[in-house]
């Protein structure tokens, strides 16, 4: 009797052990499947940092196109020209769309960032704006002119002023042009560098201001109607998608730029902005 009881006890323990092992195996399998699904979702997820206008508008308008490519694109809006690149470098976002190539090159060099141009999307012509004069001919001796304080947009503003006959530069081929490179300034204009995003808020205090179109649009200005002068359509300052170096060849980012350089994107830009900005692809 004692032997039978011992045998039954052993069988019970063995059955329990097998059941526990099967349960553990099933749990691991489910966990693996869940992790695989999560990883797949992550592979299609892109957080992109953008400026409010027009970058956020363009990106939001392409949501259906991103979905068709199997992408889950989340938009994060930034109001300045510094944080989007820092956030990208730190991995807080996966791509950004707010800057042109000269700005990316200069910023990455200054900060030691490894960022890459994924492709061009549109051009925003920089314009000269004023609340005090109706023509550049009305500028008076000693008038104040606001220009962006960052090197690439500051250079861009000075080139625009030169093209419109307000100044001449010693060498307009240099990459680091500043007010110190002005050769002739017959009206003795005074140049005040200000962060580009802030110029629309204070441009009425000066006689003239160089404003990037995205900030002009955000401030309710109409470039084609309000600007006293605009860059030509052959401007080299195309706005781009930037990613971390090494990501530019990954499948999801190739799909991303495919959408941004699609007929759907071109149509939205042309229909929405009516020539105030234009496709760069």
């Amino acid at each position: 009797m004692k032997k039978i009881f011992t045998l039954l006890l052993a069988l019970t323990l063995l059955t329990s052990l097998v059941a526990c092992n099967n349960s553990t195996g099933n749990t691991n399998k489910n966990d693996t499947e869940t992790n695989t699904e999560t990883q797949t979702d992550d592979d299609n997820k892109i957080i992109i940092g953008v400026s409010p206008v027009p970058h956020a508008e363009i990106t939001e308008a392409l949501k259906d196109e991103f979905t068709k490519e199997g992408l889950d694109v989340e938009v994060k809006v930034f109001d300045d020209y510094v944080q989007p690149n820092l956030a990208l470098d730190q991995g807080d976002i996966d791509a950004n769309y707010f800057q042109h190539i000269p700005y990316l090159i200069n910023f990455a060099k200054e900060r030691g960032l490894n960022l890459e141009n994924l492709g061009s999307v549109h051009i925003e012509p920089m314009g000269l704006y004023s609340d005090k004069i109706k023509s550049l001919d009305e500028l008076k001796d000693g008038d104040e002119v606001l220009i962006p304080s960052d090197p690439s947009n500051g250079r861009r503003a000075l080139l625009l002023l030169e093209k419109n006959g307000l100044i001449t530069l010693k060498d307009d081929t240099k990459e680091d042009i500043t007010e110190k490179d002005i050769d002739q300034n017959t009206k003795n204009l005074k140049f005040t560098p200000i962060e580009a995003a802030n110029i629309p808020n204070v441009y009425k205090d000066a006689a003239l201001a160089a404003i990037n179109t995205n900030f002009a649009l955000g401030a309710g200005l109409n470039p084609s109607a309000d600007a006293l002068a605009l860059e030509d359509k052959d401007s080299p300052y195309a706005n781009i998608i930037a990613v971390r170096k090494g990501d530019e060849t990954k499948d999801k980012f190739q799909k991303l730029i495919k959408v941004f350089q699609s007929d759907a994107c071109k149509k939205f830009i042309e229909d929405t902005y009516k020539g105030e900005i234009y496709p760069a692809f």
Side-chain angles (χ1 to χ4, degrees):
M1 187 71 173
K2 184 176 180 181
K3 291 181 178 179
I4 293 173
F5 176 78
T6 302
L7 181 59
L8 289 173
L9 180 61
L11 288 172
T12 300
L13 291 172
L14 180 60
T15 301
S16 299
L17 181 60
V18 171
C20 288
N21 286 338
N22 286 340
S23 175
T24 302
N26 289 336
T27 300
N28 289 339
K29 182 179 179 182
N30 290 338
D31 287 346
T32 301
E33 290 175 351
T34 300
N35 289 338
T36 300
E37 291 172 1
T38 301
Q39 184 62 43
T40 300
D41 290 340
D42 287 346
D43 284 345
N44 295 327
K45 178 70 176 287
I46 296 176
I47 302 175
I48 184 167
V50 299
S51 294
V53 181
H55 308 79
E57 295 174 344
I58 294 172
T59 307
E60 292 287 356
L62 296 173
K63 279 294 183 71
D64 288 344
E65 301 301 317
F66 294 132
T67 300
K68 289 177 185 177
E69 291 293 331
L71 298 176
D72 177 13
V73 176
E74 178 184 334
V75 176
K76 185 172 182 180
V77 178
F78 291 86
D79 291 318
D80 73 325
Y81 274 5
V82 176
Q83 295 307 313
N85 278 335
L86 297 181
L88 178 58
D89 179 67
Q90 294 163 5
D92 297 330
I93 58 177
D94 305 303
N96 67 41
Y97 172 36
F98 78 99
Q99 64 192 324
H100 50 64
I101 297 172
Y103 183 85
L104 171 65
I105 292 173
N106 186 74
F107 190 96
K109 182 179 179 180
E110 285 187 347
R111 305 285 182 127
L113 309 183
N114 289 316
L115 304 181
E116 190 74 20
N117 169 22
L118 188 62
S120 300
V121 181
H122 74 271
I123 294 173
E124 301 171 11
M126 178 177 279
L128 300 177
Y129 296 83
S130 178
D131 189 55
K132 300 184 183 301
I133 60 175
K134 300 298 182 183
S135 167
L136 295 178
D137 295 333
E138 297 176 24
L139 282 171
K140 297 189 282 293
D141 190 87
D143 273 344
E144 182 182 21
V145 179
L146 307 183
I147 62 173
S149 58
D150 64 274
S152 60
N153 281 303
R155 176 183 188 272
R156 186 179 181 182
L158 292 171
L159 289 173
L160 181 58
L161 290 163
E162 181 184 49
K163 188 166 188 177
N164 283 276
L166 297 177
I167 59 171
T168 62
L169 297 166
K170 298 172 185 175
D171 180 3
D172 58 13
T173 64
K174 287 178 56 180
E175 291 298 325
D176 56 348
I177 295 173
T178 69
E179 309 92 276
K180 296 178 181 179
D181 294 295
I182 294 174
D183 183 26
Q184 296 182 25
N185 178 12
T186 57
K187 292 193 175 183
N188 298 306
L189 300 174
K190 298 176 182 178
F191 298 94
T192 304
I194 294 179
E195 186 179 350
N198 289 332
I199 294 180
N201 300 324
V202 296
Y203 86 99
K204 293 182 180 181
D205 296 334
L208 191 67
I211 306 178
N212 297 73
T213 288
N214 60 316
F215 293 130
L217 292 173
L221 292 169
N222 183 326
S224 59
D226 298 329
L228 303 183
L230 282 173
E231 285 178 326
D232 297 330
K233 290 187 177 182
D234 61 354
S235 168
Y237 294 93
N239 278 228
I240 62 168
I241 307 296
V243 295
R244 287 183 291 277
K245 192 172 183 63
D247 283 350
E248 66 273 14
T249 59
K250 292 182 179 178
D251 184 59
K252 69 177 179 181
F253 294 110
Q254 286 299 306
K255 290 178 179 178
L256 182 73
I257 193 61
K258 177 183 176 182
V259 173
F260 273 113
Q261 294 182 339
S262 66
D263 289 341
C265 183
K266 180 179 292 186
K267 186 177 188 307
F268 177 80
I269 291 173
E270 291 175 344
D271 291 350
T272 304
Y273 301 108
K274 310 294 184 184
E276 293 174 356
I277 69 172
Y278 23 89
F281 55 90

